[in-house]
Amino acid sequence: MPMSIAFENRLYPLLEEIVAHFGTPFHIYDEAGIRETGYRLKRCFCGTPGFREYYAVKALPNPAILAIMADMGFGFDCSSVAELVLSRRVGGSGEALMFTSNNTTRQEFAMAMADGGSIVNLDDISLVDKLPAIPDLICFRYNPGERRSGNAIIGTPVEAKYGVSHERLIEAYRTARDRGVKRFGLHTMLASNERDHTYMVQTAAMLLEQVDRISTALDIRFEFINIGGGLGIPYRPADIPLDLEAMARAITATFSAFSRRNGYMPKLYMESGRFMTGPHGALVATAINRKEIYRTYVGLDACMSALMRPGMYNAYHHITVPGKAVDATQVVDVVGSLCENNDKFAIQRPLPPIAEGDAVVIHDTGAHGHAMGFNYNGQLRPKELLLKLDGTVELIRRGERLGDYFASLSFTPDALHTKTRSTTHQLAN
Ligand SMILES: *Cc1c(COP(=O)(O)O)cnc(C)c1O
């Protein structure tokens, strides 16, 4: 079921008032739902001591949301300087931060290791020598190649740009150990939006096997394995949700078996983005136009700048029109105002008849929603709201204004008068 019934029940009675006060379009997030998912995750993995979720900041990089994660004891998975800065602002520091970048610059590594540092997760052996100093603790991202299949969003591991290959994994840890690294972790991230929990169980088992292999070869111990994110959510009403409890039971059993073999248990880390916040957000927009040509189009006051996933991945987002009966439906395309024909929130979707002025709710925008938005065609990104536990609705990011869009056109003039004379001035105009 997309977007929990509980969130609908909390949101819909307030919707008219919220729309009247803040105006559309906006993304709204549900603190109660986010916390429920967070506590469920912690409960499920209480059998692996030291379990920690490092929330994938890129999914919803808003300080108010990150503060909720910090309050639940979660760390942060960052892959850019901006994400590090955001996480540190809400109190994340040191080993509560995981810096998982790829194709990383030396400046980014310097930022990751400054200000209290972070766990540096390296994407390649060559990056060891690009760190400003040798850290105490290091992690490598593992790419199993043909040993595993990936999925549509992230691609198959053989074609993926990420990580250290199977053949060079031991060499990577040997290099780090020889440079003076004392503590070790192992990371991977293979799938995205995967609802088959057995895939994640296999990922945990695969990492523990690699831990066995590397430990034996190098006589080192691993403090943690990080199975990445990629836990899926049901975007379509018929989608079967991921069975988190079954996944946790099987992973815990694998950890217990490892512990019996080796006499210790590494900690389990995870870096979910979508699973933590995806279903706990919605994009609310108003229908502003309707037209009937070869198809019927319902135009909203939001566009791709607020939600890229349908246009970028052909992703399905469920849509409801609160207060309208579902029995009489009409097949329509729900569109934005961008001059791109893939600016469609829904294509040939049966929906209740939508009239101008109706509020339309696009579900499951709590991860990779607002965050992916862009400014093509001069379209501005909408505001973000938080429905708090006590029923208060708080503005947690204002909508962009034209001034934001034009901000980068205000700069110190600079021109290079090249030494080689160009011939282009001879061209006729
Ligand atoms: C994007 C990303 C995640 C989060 O992915 P979800 O599918 O949102 O869970 C976690 N780790 C890394 C390294 C990522 O790039």
Side-chain angles (χ1 to χ4, degrees), residues 84-106:
L84 282 168
V85 170
L86 268 177
S87 305
R88 286 177 178 146
R89 272 192 207 164
V90 299
S93 82
E95 292 178 19
L97 301 179
M98 187 102 187
F99 184 67
T100 299
S101 189
N102 66 88
N103 187 24
T104 311
T105 62
R106 287 175 192 265

mmCIF file with all atom_site columns, all heavy atoms in Angstrom, residues 84-106:
data_model
loop_
_atom_site.group_PDB
_atom_site.id
_atom_site.type_symbol
_atom_site.label_atom_id
_atom_site.label_alt_id
_atom_site.label_comp_id
_atom_site.label_asym_id
_atom_site.label_entity_id
_atom_site.label_seq_id
_atom_site.pdbx_PDB_ins_code
_atom_site.Cartn_x
_atom_site.Cartn_y
_atom_site.Cartn_z
_atom_site.occupancy
_atom_site.B_iso_or_equiv
_atom_site.pdbx_formal_charge
_atom_site.auth_seq_id
_atom_site.auth_comp_id
_atom_site.auth_asym_id
_atom_site.auth_atom_id
_atom_site.pdbx_PDB_model_num
ATOM 1   N N   . LEU A 1 84  ? 27.831 16.561 4.264   1.00 0.00 ? 84  LEU A N   1
ATOM 2   C CA  . LEU A 1 84  ? 28.613 16.542 5.505   1.00 0.00 ? 84  LEU A CA  1
ATOM 3   C C   . LEU A 1 84  ? 28.267 17.752 6.364   1.00 0.00 ? 84  LEU A C   1
ATOM 4   O O   . LEU A 1 84  ? 28.035 17.635 7.569   1.00 0.00 ? 84  LEU A O   1
ATOM 5   C CB  . LEU A 1 84  ? 30.119 16.562 5.199   1.00 0.00 ? 84  LEU A CB  1
ATOM 6   C CG  . LEU A 1 84  ? 30.788 15.258 4.757   1.00 0.00 ? 84  LEU A CG  1
ATOM 7   C CD1 . LEU A 1 84  ? 32.194 15.552 4.221   1.00 0.00 ? 84  LEU A CD1 1
ATOM 8   C CD2 . LEU A 1 84  ? 30.866 14.252 5.902   1.00 0.00 ? 84  LEU A CD2 1
ATOM 9   N N   . VAL A 1 85  ? 28.216 18.910 5.725   1.00 0.00 ? 85  VAL A N   1
ATOM 10  C CA  . VAL A 1 85  ? 27.933 20.150 6.456   1.00 0.00 ? 85  VAL A CA  1
ATOM 11  C C   . VAL A 1 85  ? 26.547 20.076 7.101   1.00 0.00 ? 85  VAL A C   1
ATOM 12  O O   . VAL A 1 85  ? 26.370 20.390 8.279   1.00 0.00 ? 85  VAL A O   1
ATOM 13  C CB  . VAL A 1 85  ? 28.045 21.375 5.514   1.00 0.00 ? 85  VAL A CB  1
ATOM 14  C CG1 . VAL A 1 85  ? 27.516 22.637 6.171   1.00 0.00 ? 85  VAL A CG1 1
ATOM 15  C CG2 . VAL A 1 85  ? 29.496 21.578 5.077   1.00 0.00 ? 85  VAL A CG2 1
ATOM 16  N N   . LEU A 1 86  ? 25.557 19.617 6.321   1.00 0.00 ? 86  LEU A N   1
ATOM 17  C CA  . LEU A 1 86  ? 24.190 19.489 6.841   1.00 0.00 ? 86  LEU A CA  1
ATOM 18  C C   . LEU A 1 86  ? 24.143 18.555 8.047   1.00 0.00 ? 86  LEU A C   1
ATOM 19  O O   . LEU A 1 86  ? 23.509 18.858 9.059   1.00 0.00 ? 86  LEU A O   1
ATOM 20  C CB  . LEU A 1 86  ? 23.286 18.887 5.759   1.00 0.00 ? 86  LEU A CB  1
ATOM 21  C CG  . LEU A 1 86  ? 22.531 19.825 4.839   1.00 0.00 ? 86  LEU A CG  1
ATOM 22  C CD1 . LEU A 1 86  ? 21.764 19.015 3.798   1.00 0.00 ? 86  LEU A CD1 1
ATOM 23  C CD2 . LEU A 1 86  ? 21.566 20.685 5.628   1.00 0.00 ? 86  LEU A CD2 1
ATOM 24  N N   . SER A 1 87  ? 24.821 17.416 7.931   1.00 0.00 ? 87  SER A N   1
ATOM 25  C CA  . SER A 1 87  ? 24.785 16.413 9.005   1.00 0.00 ? 87  SER A CA  1
ATOM 26  C C   . SER A 1 87  ? 25.471 16.939 10.254  1.00 0.00 ? 87  SER A C   1
ATOM 27  O O   . SER A 1 87  ? 25.028 16.691 11.374  1.00 0.00 ? 87  SER A O   1
ATOM 28  C CB  . SER A 1 87  ? 25.463 15.122 8.551   1.00 0.00 ? 87  SER A CB  1
ATOM 29  O OG  . SER A 1 87  ? 24.869 14.660 7.367   1.00 0.00 ? 87  SER A OG  1
ATOM 30  N N   . ARG A 1 88  ? 26.581 17.661 10.056  1.00 0.00 ? 88  ARG A N   1
ATOM 31  C CA  . ARG A 1 88  ? 27.290 18.218 11.212  1.00 0.00 ? 88  ARG A CA  1
ATOM 32  C C   . ARG A 1 88  ? 26.462 19.284 11.893  1.00 0.00 ? 88  ARG A C   1
ATOM 33  O O   . ARG A 1 88  ? 26.504 19.437 13.109  1.00 0.00 ? 88  ARG A O   1
ATOM 34  C CB  . ARG A 1 88  ? 28.660 18.762 10.774  1.00 0.00 ? 88  ARG A CB  1
ATOM 35  C CG  . ARG A 1 88  ? 29.629 17.611 10.503  1.00 0.00 ? 88  ARG A CG  1
ATOM 36  C CD  . ARG A 1 88  ? 30.985 18.072 10.000  1.00 0.00 ? 88  ARG A CD  1
ATOM 37  N NE  . ARG A 1 88  ? 31.839 16.899 9.813   1.00 0.00 ? 88  ARG A NE  1
ATOM 38  C CZ  . ARG A 1 88  ? 32.753 16.772 8.876   1.00 0.00 ? 88  ARG A CZ  1
ATOM 39  N NH1 . ARG A 1 88  ? 32.967 17.749 8.029   1.00 0.00 ? 88  ARG A NH1 1
ATOM 40  N NH2 . ARG A 1 88  ? 33.458 15.672 8.778   1.00 0.00 ? 88  ARG A NH2 1
ATOM 41  N N   . ARG A 1 89  ? 25.672 20.028 11.119  1.00 0.00 ? 89  ARG A N   1
ATOM 42  C CA  . ARG A 1 89  ? 24.817 21.067 11.708  1.00 0.00 ? 89  ARG A CA  1
ATOM 43  C C   . ARG A 1 89  ? 23.787 20.496 12.659  1.00 0.00 ? 89  ARG A C   1
ATOM 44  O O   . ARG A 1 89  ? 23.331 21.177 13.555  1.00 0.00 ? 89  ARG A O   1
ATOM 45  C CB  . ARG A 1 89  ? 24.086 21.833 10.604  1.00 0.00 ? 89  ARG A CB  1
ATOM 46  C CG  . ARG A 1 89  ? 24.883 22.986 10.111  1.00 0.00 ? 89  ARG A CG  1
ATOM 47  C CD  . ARG A 1 89  ? 23.989 23.871 9.257   1.00 0.00 ? 89  ARG A CD  1
ATOM 48  N NE  . ARG A 1 89  ? 24.821 24.573 8.306   1.00 0.00 ? 89  ARG A NE  1
ATOM 49  C CZ  . ARG A 1 89  ? 24.375 25.191 7.232   1.00 0.00 ? 89  ARG A CZ  1
ATOM 50  N NH1 . ARG A 1 89  ? 23.092 25.187 6.960   1.00 0.00 ? 89  ARG A NH1 1
ATOM 51  N NH2 . ARG A 1 89  ? 25.194 25.815 6.438   1.00 0.00 ? 89  ARG A NH2 1
ATOM 52  N N   . VAL A 1 90  ? 23.353 19.262 12.432  1.00 0.00 ? 90  VAL A N   1
ATOM 53  C CA  . VAL A 1 90  ? 22.367 18.676 13.358  1.00 0.00 ? 90  VAL A CA  1
ATOM 54  C C   . VAL A 1 90  ? 23.066 17.810 14.401  1.00 0.00 ? 90  VAL A C   1
ATOM 55  O O   . VAL A 1 90  ? 22.426 17.007 15.071  1.00 0.00 ? 90  VAL A O   1
ATOM 56  C CB  . VAL A 1 90  ? 21.266 17.877 12.625  1.00 0.00 ? 90  VAL A CB  1
ATOM 57  C CG1 . VAL A 1 90  ? 20.485 18.781 11.684  1.00 0.00 ? 90  VAL A CG1 1
ATOM 58  C CG2 . VAL A 1 90  ? 21.836 16.680 11.884  1.00 0.00 ? 90  VAL A CG2 1
ATOM 59  N N   . GLY A 1 91  ? 24.376 17.942 14.512  1.00 0.00 ? 91  GLY A N   1
ATOM 60  C CA  . GLY A 1 91  ? 25.093 17.281 15.600  1.00 0.00 ? 91  GLY A CA  1
ATOM 61  C C   . GLY A 1 91  ? 25.821 15.998 15.219  1.00 0.00 ? 91  GLY A C   1
ATOM 62  O O   . GLY A 1 91  ? 26.466 15.385 16.065  1.00 0.00 ? 91  GLY A O   1
ATOM 63  N N   . GLY A 1 92  ? 25.700 15.575 13.972  1.00 0.00 ? 92  GLY A N   1
ATOM 64  C CA  . GLY A 1 92  ? 26.415 14.363 13.539  1.00 0.00 ? 92  GLY A CA  1
ATOM 65  C C   . GLY A 1 92  ? 27.907 14.636 13.502  1.00 0.00 ? 92  GLY A C   1
ATOM 66  O O   . GLY A 1 92  ? 28.334 15.675 12.992  1.00 0.00 ? 92  GLY A O   1
ATOM 67  N N   . SER A 1 93  ? 28.702 13.740 14.083  1.00 0.00 ? 93  SER A N   1
ATOM 68  C CA  . SER A 1 93  ? 30.147 13.925 13.969  1.00 0.00 ? 93  SER A CA  1
ATOM 69  C C   . SER A 1 93  ? 30.858 12.603 14.153  1.00 0.00 ? 93  SER A C   1
ATOM 70  O O   . SER A 1 93  ? 30.267 11.619 14.613  1.00 0.00 ? 93  SER A O   1
ATOM 71  C CB  . SER A 1 93  ? 30.650 14.948 14.997  1.00 0.00 ? 93  SER A CB  1
ATOM 72  O OG  . SER A 1 93  ? 30.830 14.322 16.241  1.00 0.00 ? 93  SER A OG  1
ATOM 73  N N   . GLY A 1 94  ? 32.119 12.578 13.787  1.00 0.00 ? 94  GLY A N   1
ATOM 74  C CA  . GLY A 1 94  ? 32.947 11.392 13.975  1.00 0.00 ? 94  GLY A CA  1
ATOM 75  C C   . GLY A 1 94  ? 32.330 10.158 13.344  1.00 0.00 ? 94  GLY A C   1
ATOM 76  O O   . GLY A 1 94  ? 31.887 10.187 12.192  1.00 0.00 ? 94  GLY A O   1
ATOM 77  N N   . GLU A 1 95  ? 32.245 9.087  14.132  1.00 0.00 ? 95  GLU A N   1
ATOM 78  C CA  . GLU A 1 95  ? 31.784 7.817  13.568  1.00 0.00 ? 95  GLU A CA  1
ATOM 79  C C   . GLU A 1 95  ? 30.266 7.729  13.408  1.00 0.00 ? 95  GLU A C   1
ATOM 80  O O   . GLU A 1 95  ? 29.746 6.687  13.024  1.00 0.00 ? 95  GLU A O   1
ATOM 81  C CB  . GLU A 1 95  ? 32.379 6.656  14.380  1.00 0.00 ? 95  GLU A CB  1
ATOM 82  C CG  . GLU A 1 95  ? 33.880 6.611  14.154  1.00 0.00 ? 95  GLU A CG  1
ATOM 83  C CD  . GLU A 1 95  ? 34.634 5.542  14.928  1.00 0.00 ? 95  GLU A CD  1
ATOM 84  O OE1 . GLU A 1 95  ? 34.010 4.571  15.389  1.00 0.00 ? 95  GLU A OE1 1
ATOM 85  O OE2 . GLU A 1 95  ? 35.868 5.697  15.052  1.00 0.00 ? 95  GLU A OE2 1
ATOM 86  N N   . ALA A 1 96  ? 29.569 8.841  13.676  1.00 0.00 ? 96  ALA A N   1
ATOM 87  C CA  . ALA A 1 96  ? 28.147 8.889  13.322  1.00 0.00 ? 96  ALA A CA  1
ATOM 88  C C   . ALA A 1 96  ? 27.982 9.326  11.870  1.00 0.00 ? 96  ALA A C   1
ATOM 89  O O   . ALA A 1 96  ? 26.870 9.371  11.350  1.00 0.00 ? 96  ALA A O   1
ATOM 90  C CB  . ALA A 1 96  ? 27.404 9.853  14.234  1.00 0.00 ? 96  ALA A CB  1
ATOM 91  N N   . LEU A 1 97  ? 29.109 9.635  11.226  1.00 0.00 ? 97  LEU A N   1
ATOM 92  C CA  . LEU A 1 97  ? 29.064 10.027 9.820   1.00 0.00 ? 97  LEU A CA  1
ATOM 93  C C   . LEU A 1 97  ? 29.826 9.014  8.989   1.00 0.00 ? 97  LEU A C   1
ATOM 94  O O   . LEU A 1 97  ? 30.916 8.581  9.355   1.00 0.00 ? 97  LEU A O   1
ATOM 95  C CB  . LEU A 1 97  ? 29.711 11.403 9.605   1.00 0.00 ? 97  LEU A CB  1
ATOM 96  C CG  . LEU A 1 97  ? 29.125 12.587 10.364  1.00 0.00 ? 97  LEU A CG  1
ATOM 97  C CD1 . LEU A 1 97  ? 29.920 13.850 10.028  1.00 0.00 ? 97  LEU A CD1 1
ATOM 98  C CD2 . LEU A 1 97  ? 27.664 12.765 10.001  1.00 0.00 ? 97  LEU A CD2 1
ATOM 99  N N   . MET A 1 98  ? 29.222 8.645  7.884   1.00 0.00 ? 98  MET A N   1
ATOM 100 C CA  . MET A 1 98  ? 29.889 7.750  6.950   1.00 0.00 ? 98  MET A CA  1
ATOM 101 C C   . MET A 1 98  ? 30.063 8.575  5.677   1.00 0.00 ? 98  MET A C   1
ATOM 102 O O   . MET A 1 98  ? 29.079 9.151  5.189   1.00 0.00 ? 98  MET A O   1
ATOM 103 C CB  . MET A 1 98  ? 28.942 6.566  6.726   1.00 0.00 ? 98  MET A CB  1
ATOM 104 C CG  . MET A 1 98  ? 29.490 5.447  5.932   1.00 0.00 ? 98  MET A CG  1
ATOM 105 S SD  . MET A 1 98  ? 29.971 4.112  7.050   1.00 0.00 ? 98  MET A SD  1
ATOM 106 C CE  . MET A 1 98  ? 30.760 3.064  5.860   1.00 0.00 ? 98  MET A CE  1
ATOM 107 N N   . PHE A 1 99  ? 31.284 8.658  5.168   1.00 0.00 ? 99  PHE A N   1
ATOM 108 C CA  . PHE A 1 99  ? 31.486 9.410  3.938   1.00 0.00 ? 99  PHE A CA  1
ATOM 109 C C   . PHE A 1 99  ? 31.728 8.432  2.797   1.00 0.00 ? 99  PHE A C   1
ATOM 110 O O   . PHE A 1 99  ? 32.807 7.883  2.636   1.00 0.00 ? 99  PHE A O   1
ATOM 111 C CB  . PHE A 1 99  ? 32.656 10.390 4.077   1.00 0.00 ? 99  PHE A CB  1
ATOM 112 C CG  . PHE A 1 99  ? 32.832 11.258 2.854   1.00 0.00 ? 99  PHE A CG  1
ATOM 113 C CD1 . PHE A 1 99  ? 31.872 12.203 2.523   1.00 0.00 ? 99  PHE A CD1 1
ATOM 114 C CD2 . PHE A 1 99  ? 33.931 11.116 2.030   1.00 0.00 ? 99  PHE A CD2 1
ATOM 115 C CE1 . PHE A 1 99  ? 32.010 12.997 1.390   1.00 0.00 ? 99  PHE A CE1 1
ATOM 116 C CE2 . PHE A 1 99  ? 34.088 11.908 0.891   1.00 0.00 ? 99  PHE A CE2 1
ATOM 117 C CZ  . PHE A 1 99  ? 33.119 12.851 0.578   1.00 0.00 ? 99  PHE A CZ  1
ATOM 118 N N   . THR A 1 100 ? 30.656 8.183  2.049   1.00 0.00 ? 100 THR A N   1
ATOM 119 C CA  . THR A 1 100 ? 30.702 7.234  0.945   1.00 0.00 ? 100 THR A CA  1
ATOM 120 C C   . THR A 1 100 ? 30.658 7.997  -0.353  1.00 0.00 ? 100 THR A C   1
ATOM 121 O O   . THR A 1 100 ? 29.589 8.322  -0.843  1.00 0.00 ? 100 THR A O   1
ATOM 122 C CB  . THR A 1 100 ? 29.474 6.300  0.989   1.00 0.00 ? 100 THR A CB  1
ATOM 123 O OG1 . THR A 1 100 ? 29.505 5.573  2.212   1.00 0.00 ? 100 THR A OG1 1
ATOM 124 C CG2 . THR A 1 100 ? 29.467 5.321  -0.170  1.00 0.00 ? 100 THR A CG2 1
ATOM 125 N N   . SER A 1 101 ? 31.821 8.350  -0.867  1.00 0.00 ? 101 SER A N   1
ATOM 126 C CA  . SER A 1 101 ? 31.801 9.071  -2.128  1.00 0.00 ? 101 SER A CA  1
ATOM 127 C C   . SER A 1 101 ? 32.399 8.196  -3.203  1.00 0.00 ? 101 SER A C   1
ATOM 128 O O   . SER A 1 101 ? 32.912 7.108  -2.933  1.00 0.00 ? 101 SER A O   1
ATOM 129 C CB  . SER A 1 101 ? 32.568 10.367 -1.979  1.00 0.00 ? 101 SER A CB  1
ATOM 130 O OG  . SER A 1 101 ? 32.368 11.149 -3.125  1.00 0.00 ? 101 SER A OG  1
ATOM 131 N N   . ASN A 1 102 ? 32.323 8.643  -4.422  1.00 0.00 ? 102 ASN A N   1
ATOM 132 C CA  . ASN A 1 102 ? 33.044 7.943  -5.491  1.00 0.00 ? 102 ASN A CA  1
ATOM 133 C C   . ASN A 1 102 ? 33.577 9.014  -6.412  1.00 0.00 ? 102 ASN A C   1
ATOM 134 O O   . ASN A 1 102 ? 33.018 10.100 -6.481  1.00 0.00 ? 102 ASN A O   1
ATOM 135 C CB  . ASN A 1 102 ? 32.126 6.937  -6.204  1.00 0.00 ? 102 ASN A CB  1
ATOM 136 C CG  . ASN A 1 102 ? 31.012 7.614  -6.963  1.00 0.00 ? 102 ASN A CG  1
ATOM 137 O OD1 . ASN A 1 102 ? 31.157 7.976  -8.119  1.00 0.00 ? 102 ASN A OD1 1
ATOM 138 N ND2 . ASN A 1 102 ? 29.887 7.804  -6.295  1.00 0.00 ? 102 ASN A ND2 1
ATOM 139 N N   . ASN A 1 103 ? 34.660 8.734  -7.086  1.00 0.00 ? 103 ASN A N   1
ATOM 140 C CA  . ASN A 1 103 ? 35.311 9.760  -7.913  1.00 0.00 ? 103 ASN A CA  1
ATOM 141 C C   . ASN A 1 103 ? 35.524 11.023 -7.065  1.00 0.00 ? 103 ASN A C   1
ATOM 142 O O   . ASN A 1 103 ? 35.182 12.129 -7.473  1.00 0.00 ? 103 ASN A O   1
ATOM 143 C CB  . ASN A 1 103 ? 34.472 10.061 -9.163  1.00 0.00 ? 103 ASN A CB  1
ATOM 144 C CG  . ASN A 1 103 ? 35.186 10.991 -10.119 1.00 0.00 ? 103 ASN A CG  1
ATOM 145 O OD1 . ASN A 1 103 ? 36.420 11.072 -10.103 1.00 0.00 ? 103 ASN A OD1 1
ATOM 146 N ND2 . ASN A 1 103 ? 34.450 11.697 -10.933 1.00 0.00 ? 103 ASN A ND2 1
ATOM 147 N N   . THR A 1 104 ? 36.079 10.813 -5.894  1.00 0.00 ? 104 THR A N   1
ATOM 148 C CA  . THR A 1 104 ? 36.178 11.857 -4.879  1.00 0.00 ? 104 THR A CA  1
ATOM 149 C C   . THR A 1 104 ? 37.404 12.749 -5.093  1.00 0.00 ? 104 THR A C   1
ATOM 150 O O   . THR A 1 104 ? 38.447 12.269 -5.530  1.00 0.00 ? 104 THR A O   1
ATOM 151 C CB  . THR A 1 104 ? 36.286 11.184 -3.494  1.00 0.00 ? 104 THR A CB  1
ATOM 152 O OG1 . THR A 1 104 ? 35.260 10.208 -3.420  1.00 0.00 ? 104 THR A OG1 1
ATOM 153 C CG2 . THR A 1 104 ? 36.127 12.162 -2.369  1.00 0.00 ? 104 THR A CG2 1
ATOM 154 N N   . THR A 1 105 ? 37.275 14.028 -4.761  1.00 0.00 ? 105 THR A N   1
ATOM 155 C CA  . THR A 1 105 ? 38.426 14.932 -4.847  1.00 0.00 ? 105 THR A CA  1
ATOM 156 C C   . THR A 1 105 ? 39.177 14.927 -3.507  1.00 0.00 ? 105 THR A C   1
ATOM 157 O O   . THR A 1 105 ? 38.618 14.574 -2.474  1.00 0.00 ? 105 THR A O   1
ATOM 158 C CB  . THR A 1 105 ? 37.982 16.384 -5.120  1.00 0.00 ? 105 THR A CB  1
ATOM 159 O OG1 . THR A 1 105 ? 37.178 16.837 -4.021  1.00 0.00 ? 105 THR A OG1 1
ATOM 160 C CG2 . THR A 1 105 ? 37.168 16.495 -6.400  1.00 0.00 ? 105 THR A CG2 1
ATOM 161 N N   . ARG A 1 106 ? 40.429 15.353 -3.555  1.00 0.00 ? 106 ARG A N   1
ATOM 162 C CA  . ARG A 1 106 ? 41.220 15.475 -2.320  1.00 0.00 ? 106 ARG A CA  1
ATOM 163 C C   . ARG A 1 106 ? 40.570 16.445 -1.347  1.00 0.00 ? 106 ARG A C   1
ATOM 164 O O   . ARG A 1 106 ? 40.607 16.236 -0.133  1.00 0.00 ? 106 ARG A O   1
ATOM 165 C CB  . ARG A 1 106 ? 42.636 15.960 -2.658  1.00 0.00 ? 106 ARG A CB  1
ATOM 166 C CG  . ARG A 1 106 ? 43.504 14.907 -3.327  1.00 0.00 ? 106 ARG A CG  1
ATOM 167 C CD  . ARG A 1 106 ? 44.840 15.538 -3.738  1.00 0.00 ? 106 ARG A CD  1
ATOM 168 N NE  . ARG A 1 106 ? 45.599 14.646 -4.631  1.00 0.00 ? 106 ARG A NE  1
ATOM 169 C CZ  . ARG A 1 106 ? 46.536 13.795 -4.227  1.00 0.00 ? 106 ARG A CZ  1
ATOM 170 N NH1 . ARG A 1 106 ? 46.857 13.720 -2.964  1.00 0.00 ? 106 ARG A NH1 1
ATOM 171 N NH2 . ARG A 1 106 ? 47.169 13.029 -5.103  1.00 0.00 ? 106 ARG A NH2 1
#
